[in-house]
Amino acid sequence: DAMVIQNPRYQVTQFGKPVTLSCSQTLNHNVMYWYQQKSSQAPKLLFHYYDKDFNNEADTPDNFQSRRPNTSFCFLDIRSPGLGDAAMYLCATSIQVTETQYFGPGTRLLVL
Amino acid sequence: KQEVTQIPAALSVPEGENLVLNCSFTDSAIYNLQWFRQDPGKGLTSLLLIQSSQREQTSGRLNASLDKSSGRSTLYIAASQPGDSATYLCAVQYTGGFKTIFGAGTRLFVKA
């Protein structure tokens, strides 16, 4: 089945230790998104890629970076995680930017 | 400022009842509005997408409407079932940068 896959499902890191979350898709969609969702809050868009074009939201902290080496994979790098970065990180894809977004299961990040 | 609001924050209904969830948004310059379902600790499942030129979409027991001029959308669930228990989120994609903004969701509990 075509799908959006996120690894790992749970990630524990130490304060200040860089961490990378990964997302892959078998849908062959042009657009990939990263969202941050804190407990009982709305998902917040961090950035999205249309193909190789990177689009950063104005209020996304510099501590968050992203890479998309090819159509199928997209990575979220948190350079120096703080306690406030503990959250669920959701990856989504869509065939075009104004079409339905399909989400992966998320990676829950815990910062100690 | 672009904002998406969902009221009520939580709703409990007996099985079999028809119900309506509400979503309101500021700024009518939108591409689309999407409704999602989220089960605890999981990713988001797309339910319906309404493009800005459309008034409603239907899928099974679900019907979503969009009134762009008043900044409102409703999700109607017919004959609710315990399996419908989840958090329902609406997301608006705005023009000018394709930013997607989510509401905080309505937590629905359907009692058997």
Side-chain angles (χ1 to χ4, degrees):
Chain A
D1 288 341
M3 58 177 60
V4 182
I5 303 160
Q6 290 189 246
N7 286 307
R9 294 293 309 279
Y10 299 91
Q11 176 74 57
V12 181
T13 190
Q14 293 178 336
F15 182 93
K17 184 175 181 180
V19 64
T20 295
L21 309 181
S22 74
C23 176
S24 64
Q25 55 134 340
T26 60
L27 298 162
N28 202 32
H29 282 175
N30 293 309
V31 191
M32 296 187 77
Y33 308 81
W34 279 105
Y35 289 86
Q36 178 193 63
Q37 185 179 28
K38 296 186 177 180
S39 183
S40 300
Q41 294 185 22
K44 181 177 179 295
L45 181 64
L46 297 173
F47 21 63
H48 76 271
Y49 277 92
Y50 182 90
D51 196 14
K52 292 186 184 297
D53 291 335
F54 177 69
N55 297 272
N56 193 32
E57 294 303 314
D59 54 357
T60 297
D62 292 339
N63 197 28
F64 292 86
Q65 303 288 321
S66 185
R67 296 170 284 135
R68 189 179 185 186
N70 54 53
T71 299
S72 300
F73 285 88
C74 195
F75 300 99
L76 172 63
D77 300 310
I78 307 176
R79 293 192 296 190
S80 181
L83 297 179
D85 296 327
M88 174 78 88
Y89 289 88
L90 297 163
C91 174
T93 73
S94 63
I95 192 162
Q96 296 293 341
V97 288
T98 58
E99 297 298 326
T100 299
Q101 294 185 31
Y102 296 92
F103 280 76
T107 293
R108 185 167 294 281
L109 178 68
L110 180 62
V111 182
L112 301 178
Chain B
K1 183 183 177 184
Q2 294 165 336
E3 291 182 337
V4 180
T5 304
Q6 292 187 248
I7 295 173
L11 181 64
S12 180
V13 300
E15 181 178 5
E17 189 161 302
N18 303 324
L19 59 100
V20 174
L21 306 180
N22 296 296
C23 174
S24 61
F25 53 94
T26 59
D27 189 350
S28 60
I30 70 171
Y31 280 117
N32 58 58
L33 185 145
Q34 193 165 0
W35 283 93
F36 293 90
R37 168 190 172 132
Q38 186 173 32
D39 293 288
K42 302 287 181 63
L44 280 64
T45 300
S46 176
L47 298 174
L48 291 163
L49 172 78
I50 311 177
Q51 299 289 359
S52 63
S53 58
Q54 298 174 324
R55 295 299 300 266
E56 65 177 329
Q57 285 287 336
T58 298
S59 176
R61 295 184 292 110
L62 306 179
N63 176 276
S65 68
L66 175 64
D67 184 341
K68 207 170 59 166
S69 62
S70 67
R72 293 180 182 177
S73 176
T74 61
L75 178 67
Y76 174 82
I77 303 177
S80 59
Q81 303 170 357
D84 295 330
S85 299
T87 296
Y88 290 80
L89 299 111
C90 68
V92 176
Q93 188 172 48
Y94 287 96
T95 62
F98 303 104
K99 181 161 187 156
T100 300
I101 297 180
F102 275 81
T106 294
R107 183 175 292 184
L108 174 66
F109 181 62
V110 180
K111 296 172 288 186

